[in-house]
Amino acid sequence: MKWKPEILVINKGDSVKFIGMMGHDTQSMVELSPQGYAGWKSNMGEEGFTVNFDEKGVYFQNKDDSLYVPPLDLGNKVVDTSGAGDAFNGAFATALCEDKSIKDSLIFANTFAGISTTRVGTAKSMPSREEIDKLL
């Protein structure tokens, strides 16, 4: 049986490597914006594809929809980005398990990860559910 993800979550740097491994030209991708990924994604075959652009937000596309969620406006509050990707992935999975829509799951995960960057460390930087719910 061949494994096929329903949603692939990947950061921008790894997405460029991934696309290169599939034989696609990656030279022009280095400067792509989140919305710029729409052009090549339609040929990738995944049901859903999410690219995390760190301080530039997150982009999602599947066969029916494409969404861009801008980053939180944290100004100069960012002190440590360690663990932000893990925070995003965990929060995204949690929201999907709670039957939130893709858009609401992305917003929830983006908020969770954003807050985690305003604190030093990894596990201890993760916000509480109450903090997230208050912002949303």
Side-chain angles (χ1 to χ4, degrees):
M1 182 165 100
K2 188 174 181 179
W3 179 77
K4 183 178 177 186
E6 288 186 31
I7 299 175
L8 175 63
V9 180
I10 195 166
N11 64 43
K12 181 182 176 187
D14 288 341
S15 71
V16 172
K17 292 175 193 170
F18 177 71
I19 291 163
M21 288 178 5
M22 295 181 64
H24 297 284
D25 174 38
T26 60
Q27 187 67 26
S28 62
M29 293 188 65
V30 176
E31 298 301 321
L32 277 181
S33 66
Q35 298 87 342
Y37 271 66
W40 59 264
K41 163 49 188 96
S42 59
N43 298 321
M44 297 296 287
E46 287 83 25
E47 290 297 314
F49 192 84
T50 299
V51 180
N52 187 338
F53 282 83
D54 304 322
E55 74 280 357
K56 294 181 183 173
V58 63
Y59 173 78
F60 171 84
Q61 183 174 342
N62 65 16
K63 62 185 179 222
D64 301 318
D65 205 1
S66 65
L67 304 164
Y68 170 68
V69 177
L72 290 179
D73 182 11
L74 298 170
N76 60 357
K77 296 178 187 171
V78 174
V79 295
D80 187 358
T81 61
S82 301
D86 292 334
F88 178 89
N89 292 335
F92 187 57
T94 296
L96 290 173
C97 288
E98 293 175 350
D99 291 324
K100 293 185 185 304
S101 68
I102 293 290
K103 181 178 181 179
D104 288 344
S105 296
L106 290 170
I107 291 168
F108 180 82
N110 202 46
T111 302
F112 192 95
I115 290 172
S116 77
T117 67
T118 65
R119 302 169 182 166
V120 176
T122 52
K124 64 182 179 181
S125 72
M126 301 301 153
S128 68
R129 182 61 183 254
E130 293 76 30
E131 288 176 278
I132 301 303
D133 290 341
K134 208 185 292 186
L135 283 174
L136 299 176

